[in-house]
Amino acid sequence: MEKLKIANIPGDGIGTEVVTAATDVLKAVSEIHGGLTFEFTDFQWNCHYYLKHGAMMPEDGMDQLTQFDGIFLGAIGDPNLVPDHVSLWGLLIKIRREFEQSINLRPAKVIKGIRSPLLNPKDFDIMVVRENSEGEYSSIGGNMYQGDDEIAIQNAVFSRKATERAMRFAFELAQKRSSHVTSATKSNGIIYSMPFWDSVFEDVAKDYPHIETDSRHIDALAAFFVTQPDRFDVIVASNLFGDILTDLGAAIMGSIGIAPAANINVNGKYPSMFEPVHGSAPDIAGKGMANPIGQIWTAKMMLDHFGEEELGRVLLDTVESVTSDGFLTRDIGGKHTTKEVTDEIIARLKAR
């Protein structure tokens, strides 16, 4: 019997609802497997915790999380309570950085029964590998002077180590898919970091001669996401470019509420963290309207990470059987509640 110890951090807003839903689904999945169990421990670290304690987690919070195999995160942030830069850097980004979760993995694909806003989406199935530790989201920079002379400087940092790590991850992933990697760049406008990015990509590609490659400027690539998304397989991108592309990927799927993500620690020193792309949506929190699919698909990515790819496939197939039969929440044109969609997924899992 394999037991996976999972730290649940429901977070803010709808995070509490969708994490509960996905946890119940994972328990049903473990019943199907028979040899896999989950041990969930909840951590109520969120903006309300910050208001009480002046921090998003206790001083030993990171030490507590090291005891788990994985972290299952709902959503962090409520700007009505705590500024986003405080809540995110105090918990989400803190975990990503200190646990060396250097890869952010986000899929975008056509889901049966969910209408894409694209006129002809075909059957796009994209996986974006986003460098998750540096790039445009570095903390190097500062402000100086005041008034009309005020200056803000934000330095983008690209190391060969982190850039190559993300690219090799993308090439290894492409070998399991359709053997094609696209690099997102902007070397015609960003004169230092992006030519460096291009050079590293060319060097890494030499080690994978059987993988087809191309390089696209980010503005054109964003346009292709709308006009020809089916032409792409694996895309490797910097922190900022990957963030933008994956939100666009969620949009062409039909809703950001169904988009999953994984923050991967590739060296095995620390647990990886799994979170949906959507935010905490405080405007609909507590109303039973939240779409649980983003968190449930995120659970599928967690199963894949632990080597349970067949179980992950069963879970996503079950989700698509539910959506194709019209069990949809309001954000994707349906009328069902969070619980109704979740219960239907669980019922179909148990009936398999």
Side-chain angles (χ1 to χ4, degrees), residues 40 48 51 62 75 80 94 133 155-157 177 181 187 191 216 267 277 287 292 294 321 331:
F40 297 103
H48 291 284
L51 293 179
M62 297 300 290
N80 297 317
K94 180 179 178 67
S133 64
N155 292 328
V157 176
R177 290 171 52 92
V181 178
S187 51
I191 63 173
R216 299 287 177 181
N267 60 29
V277 174
K287 298 180 180 180
S321 76
D331 62 308

Side-chain angles (χ1 to χ4, degrees), residues 52-345:
K52 291 181 180 179
H53 303 280
M56 291 298 294
M57 65 167 67
E59 287 187 11
D60 67 342
M62 297 300 290
D63 288 336
Q64 292 184 48
L65 293 178
T66 60
Q67 307 305 310
F68 293 87
D69 299 307
I71 303 166
F72 202 41
L73 177 69
I76 294 299
D78 186 339
N80 297 317
L81 300 176
V82 179
D84 278 344
H85 70 278
V86 173
S87 59
L88 294 179
W89 281 87
L91 199 152
L92 175 63
I93 297 177
K94 180 179 178 67
I95 294 172
R96 285 180 179 177
R97 297 290 170 89
E98 293 189 22
F99 278 177
E100 300 175 17
Q101 294 168 349
S102 58
I103 302 295
N104 184 264
L105 196 59
R106 296 184 179 181
K109 69 186 293 292
V110 173
I111 297 293
K112 297 175 184 177
I114 297 179
R115 184 177 179 180
S116 167
L118 301 181
L119 181 62
N120 184 17
K122 299 183 180 178
D123 283 323
F124 67 83
D125 186 351
I126 304 166
M127 186 68 79
V128 177
V129 177
R130 168 186 169 194
E131 200 292 311
N132 205 35
S133 64
E134 50 180 38
E136 303 89 348
Y137 290 0
S138 82
S139 55
I140 299 175
N143 297 75
M144 59 191 300
Y145 309 132
Q146 296 177 348
D148 292 342
D149 294 323
E150 186 174 9
I151 298 172
I153 298 173
Q154 176 71 53
N155 292 328
V157 176
F158 288 79
S159 68
R160 176 170 288 274
K161 178 181 179 180
T163 301
E164 182 173 328
R165 179 171 53 206
M167 291 173 176
R168 289 195 180 279
F169 191 98
F171 276 92
E172 292 294 327
L173 183 60
Q175 293 185 128
K176 302 175 184 178
R177 290 171 52 92
S178 299
S179 297
H180 188 281
V181 178
T182 299
S183 169
T185 185
K186 191 56 183 170
S187 51
N188 63 345
I190 303 175
I191 63 173
Y192 294 116
S193 61
M194 286 294 104
F196 171 77
W197 175 277
D198 293 348
S199 176
V200 176
F201 184 73
E202 292 173 4
D203 289 345
V204 173
K206 293 175 184 176
D207 293 336
Y208 300 87
H210 55 293
I211 301 290
E212 186 180 356
T213 65
D214 66 340
S215 182
R216 299 287 177 181
H217 291 138
I218 185 62
D219 44 354
L221 186 52
F224 282 134
F225 256 49
V226 175
T227 59
Q228 302 176 50
D230 57 301
R231 70 185 292 176
F232 300 107
D233 178 26
V234 176
I235 297 174
V236 62
S238 67
N239 218 330
L240 175 62
F241 292 173
D243 198 2
I244 294 170
L245 284 177
T246 51
D247 275 12
L248 181 54
I252 65 174
M253 283 197 291
S255 172
I256 200 168
I258 65 174
N263 300 284
I264 305 297
N265 170 274
V266 297
N267 60 29
K269 289 172 59 179
Y270 303 105
S272 295
M273 179 167 63
F274 304 86
E275 53 165 332
V277 174
H278 66 68
S280 60
D283 56 320
I284 63 168
K287 298 180 180 180
M289 298 166 54
N291 193 330
I293 291 176
Q295 192 81 46
I296 293 169
W297 193 352
T298 296
K300 184 266 187 194
M301 296 187 75
M302 185 164 68
L303 289 169
D304 291 345
H305 176 72
F306 290 121
E308 299 290 350
E309 295 181 352
E310 178 58 24
L311 270 184
R313 184 193 62 76
V314 168
L315 176 53
L316 190 56
D317 285 350
T318 304
V319 168
E320 290 199 71
S321 76
V322 168
T323 56
S324 64
D325 285 344
F327 287 86
L328 308 172
T329 47
R330 295 184 188 181
D331 62 308
I332 46 179
K335 60 181 181 180
H336 293 278
T337 66
T338 308
K339 187 176 187 305
E340 288 170 344
V341 172
T342 304
D343 287 349
E344 186 63 24
I345 291 171

